[in-house]
Amino acid sequence: MTQEEAAERLAGVNARIAAAAKTARRAAKDVTLIAVSKMHDAPEIAPLIAAGHRVFGENRVQEAESKWPALRETADIELHLVGQLQSNKADAAVALFDAIHSLDRPSLVAALAKAIDAQGRHPRLFVQVNIGAEPQKGGCAIADLPTLLGSASQAGLNVEGLMCVPPDGVEAAPYFALLAKLARDHGLPLLSMGMSGDYETAVTLGATHVRVGTALFGARQG
Ligand SMILES: *Cc1c(COP(=O)(O)O)cnc(C)c1O
């Protein structure tokens, strides 16, 4: 991708976010665009940084560790972990990421609390909710959310929001609305929802963070 293409795609996505925000009488600046760069390497990411974008997301700790330390020397980057996190990678995740969207179980509460305590770094935390109750997906069950939030709070973790990935192939809006309601019920201000196919819908339903890969970088090579 050339820098010109990167700038065009970025402007296009930002314009759609702004239009969706306007429809919902929200301020576009209250929506953070996370450019999900998983499976794209540094030469594909650099044009987006050159075009002025600063907020990026990855779904694997190891992949992020291999790409981002060098890219970060070029600009002041905010890096989000949007994929599942194994407890034995909690230390590495806390060291590298500015936000973690995949807190979803008690063992991870303990591991993150320990890592945060040891490093004195405080990534922004989202609890991932398995909003469609899909067995193959990460995220805590809706029924387990109050207990998980309680134990996070007891462990000294400051959870600020909820995250979800709705089921494929069906209308996402009802799932986004449900996640927004759960966040409201628990007094959590942040909502990480919406991907390339549905980020505008997510913005109209209150997303504060949209996670967009394909619409910015093009298709990922499997
Ligand atoms: C890959 C990924 C995205 C981005 O998906 P696109 O459809 O390419 O925009 C968003 N969120 C998560 C959790 C992902 O793994």
Side-chain angles (χ1 to χ4, degrees):
M1 164 163 76
T2 64
Q3 192 184 323
E4 198 180 355
E5 280 169 332
E8 249 171 50
R9 287 181 186 177
L10 184 62
V13 171
N14 276 326
R16 283 162 176 264
I17 289 172
K22 193 170 179 206
T23 306
R25 299 171 186 272
R26 301 183 59 208
K29 69 164 176 49
D30 294 338
V31 182
T32 299
L33 170 61
I34 303 170
V36 179
S37 49
K38 65 183 183 199
M39 295 174 75
H40 295 289
D41 50 20
E44 296 171 89
I45 298 170
L48 216 52
I49 297 176
H53 197 68
R54 293 292 179 268
V55 185
F56 289 84
E58 290 283 342
N59 71 334
R60 291 193 173 165
V61 176
Q62 227 167 347
E63 182 183 339
E65 275 179 323
S66 75
K67 290 192 308 208
W68 281 98
L71 282 166
R72 267 184 159 163
E73 289 179 9
T74 67
D76 192 11
I77 299 294
E78 182 180 309
L79 198 58
H80 292 242
L81 177 64
V82 301
Q84 274 187 33
L85 176 59
Q86 292 168 275
S87 296
N88 64 6
K89 299 232 170 78
D91 274 314
V94 167
L96 185 63
F97 291 97
D98 302 298
I100 294 173
H101 293 236
S102 46
L103 174 54
D104 64 355
R105 59 192 189 277
S107 59
L108 199 48
V109 165
L112 283 173
K114 198 162 155 241
I116 286 168
D117 203 40
Q119 297 180 36
R121 269 184 58 86
H122 295 269
R124 183 161 259 186
L125 297 175
F126 296 78
V127 164
Q128 181 175 354
V129 179
N130 189 346
I131 202 74
E134 296 175 279
Q136 79 282 12
K137 263 190 193 152
C140 89
I142 291 174
D144 297 338
L145 181 59
T147 308
L148 187 64
L149 288 171
S151 46
S153 156
Q154 236 169 16
L157 296 182
N158 179 29
V159 173
E160 293 182 77
L162 299 180
M163 178 272 215
C164 76
V165 181
D168 282 334
V170 295
E171 178 54 51
Y175 297 99
F176 292 155
L178 178 56
L179 194 74
K181 180 184 185 308
L182 291 169
R184 253 191 331 270
D185 290 350
H186 290 284
L188 299 170
L190 303 182
L191 275 175
S192 167
M193 58 190 198
M195 305 176 22
S196 289
D198 51 25
Y199 64 91
E200 293 155 281
T201 304
V203 168
T204 63
L205 292 167
T208 60
H209 292 72
V210 293
R211 310 178 309 265
V212 177
T214 308
L216 291 169
F217 291 100
R220 289 177 287 272
Q221 312 294 316

